[in-house]
Amino acid sequence: MTTLDGGTAPGIEAIRAFPKVELHVHVEACLSAERIEELAAEFGVPMLRPAESLFVYATLAEFLEVYEWWCDLLRTAEIAEQLAYDAAAQLRADGIIYAEVLCGPRYWPHLRREPLIEALAAGFERAYGDGHADCRLTPSISREQSAEWAMGLVEWLGTSGPSRVVGLGLDGNEELLGRTSPKFTEVYARAAELGLGRTAHAGESSGPEGVWDALEHLHLDRVDHGVRSIEDPALLEHLAEREITLNVTPTSNVITGLYPDVDHHAVGPLIEAGVPVTINSDDPKAMNVTLSGEFAEVSRSLGWTLLDVEAATRRAVDAAFCDRDQAADLHRQIDAHVETLEQGSLRKDHNP
Ligand code: ADE
Ligand code: ZN
């Protein structure tokens, strides 16, 4: 029987069984290489590379180029609906009970953004009805898009978007595109007025100045990545004081060349500096990671027990954009699991 603080890093099965919450995962990156191969054959598109080596990249720029290639195969609302359904099923199989999932309309050139987001929401709804993860949507602007486009998206999301939409994201390659947060100041202000949660990728390919910019101009509730905040003590203090959560993705940062391995990742020092951190997968199929695998790696590297996995999960619930009733329900589901583990460990103590 697994215990909560067995003193050693928890095994992958115990982590998978733990009811988890994920806040930084891209729906387009939940597509498997096999499904991409099927879609390429259906549309008569030659594979960019053989399926076995499709998901191999050395830099963020290369990853995003390949990302754009396979997303071009996502051509219909039916494909979008099924992708969302399959993503919720995959996440549930990994023990995730609730997820806020990013989708980037810029990566779907064959669909208008409104039917795309409606189709994804419908897939999540159907999946939830079948007992899979409860997935909410955070549509994401790409940093190269215009403020006008982004404002149109936000108006629609906040006034007539599906109820599964809970927030707004922003992603792209900050290193290539430069300083783009100021462009979206009014867009994010409008998102706040309309009651949408606000997050943005920053401090991944940009340094701490990208995080400062995003906080100052976009008034974020939380930051996706944000790991390069570690280079600026004043920023660490600011994040800790204001309790701004960083949605960290260790393996993704290793794959795109930010760190040589998880042992050199900033996650430990960020936590030591008092910054609220959640653990996330970012691009599950496209980087061959699962949230359970990420927790296992972080646990091995930082000496975490299941108590630390629990604490990080509760932090994710507290940073989630869902309403407080739903957050309370997620905490109750965690309570129930923890209680079962505690009862098992008590039984073990009585029957050594
Ligand atoms: N889109 C999907 N994954 C991303 C990442 N890690 N950084 C920026 N944009 C992304
Ligand atoms: Zn991301």
Side-chain angles (χ1 to χ4, degrees), residues 24-26 102 171 201 204 224-225 249 252 282-283:
H24 181 176
V25 53
H26 298 260
L102 296 148
D171 61 38
H201 286 55
E204 176 194 32
D224 292 322
H225 298 293
T249 67
S252 161
D282 203 4
D283 301 294

Side-chain angles (χ1 to χ4, degrees), residues 119-158:
L120 292 170
F124 285 151
E125 197 66 45
R126 181 163 68 89
Y128 182 61
D130 285 349
H132 298 308
D134 185 350
C135 291
R136 307 283 154 161
L137 269 168
T138 40
S140 196
I141 305 160
S142 278
R143 284 186 179 269
E144 64 266 48
Q145 290 182 292
S146 72
E148 292 70 33
W149 184 92
M151 189 62 101
L153 171 71
V154 164
E155 279 300 334
W156 178 75
L157 292 177

